[in-house]
Amino acid sequence: MSYTVNYLKPFGALIEADSKQTKVDDLDINSLREIFRQAHIVTLRGFTTFDTPDALADYCERWGKVSVWPFGKVLELVQQENPDDHIFDSSYMPMHWDGMYRPQVPEYQIFQCVEAPLPGCGGRTTFSSTMLALKNAPAEHVALWKKVTGHYQRKMEFYDSRTNSPIITKHPYKDHSVIRYNEPHFKEKGDLINPVNMTFSGIPEAEVLAFHETLRQALYDPRNFYAHEWQTGDIVITDNFSLLHGREAFVSHSPRHIRRVQVLSNPPYDNPSLESYACPQK
């Protein structure tokens, strides 16, 4: 197969086609999985990709069982005219993990960039390696984080759920720790439509500010942080079990169209943190 693999710092891998005629479908999934295990994010760039959402979903089935939502398998991430939720706005999106409000937590997020933001318009997707954050943080910060449990409630078009998770917990299938945290809405980032309701327990109120500040510093530390600048046609496969992710704000009504599919692990990972879950009828 004709392509080039470059491992990025602090994490991630960029796989670029040597020919525009090479199809993503032609790439060996087992080889991609091996790169993914090392890099946690794999970007496929310059390949012939998918003309329709169904074609993307069919490809994702090769990675595992696709998580089905009330809207189907593919979420169209594009700014809406009058959004009811920040997912469909142009605002920033705080760091979080996918599936935290659903019965099963996906292992993979697979994105297709249908139309990239214009240069200088923002809209990068942000990622933090929680393993690197734990490795690089001072021991006293990690000790503080270990005491804390996050309590989150979120109601939107696709679910009405409550979930509770320790900030530091074990990877579902590996022998190391990860961070599970929904970053609070910081006012300096601007308004946020329908933000998450959240509280944090396990530490005195006097320590809560230090908890958020030290954890935020770690997540955005350049040693642990990667921001993906989209190019039209990118396919990006990310590790939802190990990373947290968010979005930078972008210029309202400027181009940005991303498709997202969630793929479950094998066996599927039942959400241990879910307290309650309600899903609207299709």
Side-chain angles (χ1 to χ4, degrees):
M1 191 60 61
S2 184
Y3 58 80
T4 303
V5 181
N6 289 304
Y7 285 90
L8 309 177
K9 292 183 179 181
F11 59 94
L14 174 63
I15 302 178
E16 296 184 277
D18 294 335
S19 167
K20 293 183 179 179
Q21 305 306 313
T22 306
K23 299 179 181 179
V24 168
D25 275 331
D26 294 336
L27 301 179
D28 179 68
I29 295 292
N30 289 330
S31 297
L32 292 180
R33 286 188 198 276
E34 183 56 38
I35 296 170
F36 177 88
R37 279 192 286 269
Q38 299 177 58
H40 302 286
I41 295 179
V42 174
T43 298
L44 308 177
R45 179 169 288 169
F47 296 88
T48 299
T49 57
F50 312 106
D51 294 331
T52 66
D54 287 345
L56 171 63
D58 289 344
Y59 170 75
C60 294
E61 295 281 2
R62 296 173 59 188
W63 283 83
K65 183 179 179 181
V66 169
S67 181
V68 180
W69 286 69
F71 53 77
K73 297 178 179 180
V74 181
L75 177 63
E76 303 281 0
L77 293 167
V78 64
Q79 185 181 5
Q80 297 178 355
E81 191 62 36
N82 294 296
D84 294 324
D85 194 89
H86 57 270
I87 289 177
F88 302 115
D89 196 17
S90 62
S91 63
Y92 95 108
M93 185 181 297
M95 288 277 188
H96 62 286
W97 75 99
D98 271 9
M100 60 185 293
Y101 300 108
R102 300 261 292 166
Q104 293 177 319
V105 180
E107 179 175 11
Y108 305 100
Q109 302 158 291
I110 301 182
F111 300 93
Q112 178 186 4
C113 182
V114 180
E115 186 174 14
L118 298 173
C121 287
R124 296 188 302 178
T125 299
T126 55
F127 298 92
S128 185
S129 167
T130 68
M131 300 88 69
L132 290 176
L134 290 169
K135 175 183 176 182
N136 292 325
E140 61 268 26
H141 292 176
V142 176
L144 174 63
W145 306 341
K146 283 182 177 179
K147 300 176 183 178
V148 182
T149 296
H151 309 273
Y152 311 98
Q153 189 277 330
R154 180 148 160 74
K155 182 178 182 180
M156 50 96 70
E157 180 181 358
F158 306 127
Y159 52 74
D160 181 359
S161 300
R162 293 180 180 273
T163 193
N164 307 296
S165 178
I167 297 302
I168 299 179
T169 187
K170 286 292 186 182
H171 185 285
Y173 298 119
K174 296 180 181 178
D175 189 25
H176 62 74
S177 295
V178 294
I179 296 171
R180 301 289 83 176
Y181 176 63
N182 194 139
E183 181 185 16
H185 169 218
F186 293 98
K187 291 293 186 181
E188 67 268 24
K189 293 280 192 176
D191 293 333
L192 198 67
I193 299 172
N194 193 29
V196 176
N197 294 319
M198 61 182 73
T199 58
F200 297 87
S201 64
I203 55 175
E205 183 65 29
E207 296 182 6
V208 170
L209 181 60
F211 158 70
H212 287 302
E213 287 182 342
T214 56
L215 186 48
R216 187 185 188 196
Q217 181 181 26
L219 295 178
Y220 289 93
D221 187 314
R223 295 175 296 173
N224 315 322
F225 177 80
Y226 167 73
H228 183 76
E229 190 161 353
W230 293 99
Q231 293 188 20
T232 298
D234 280 356
I235 300 292
V236 177
I237 303 144
T238 74
D239 180 357
N240 186 56
F241 283 166
S242 301
L243 309 178
L244 298 175
H245 69 283
R247 178 186 69 207
E248 293 178 348
F250 58 97
V251 175
S252 184
H253 300 296
S254 63
R256 189 184 190 273
H257 183 181
I258 311 294
R259 289 177 177 146
R260 187 211 68 192
V261 178
Q262 295 177 338
V263 179
L264 302 176
S265 57
N266 183 21
Y269 179 54
D270 292 333
N271 188 351
S273 303
L274 196 62
E275 177 185 319
S276 65
Y277 170 73
C279 179
Q281 296 297 315
K282 292 183 181 180

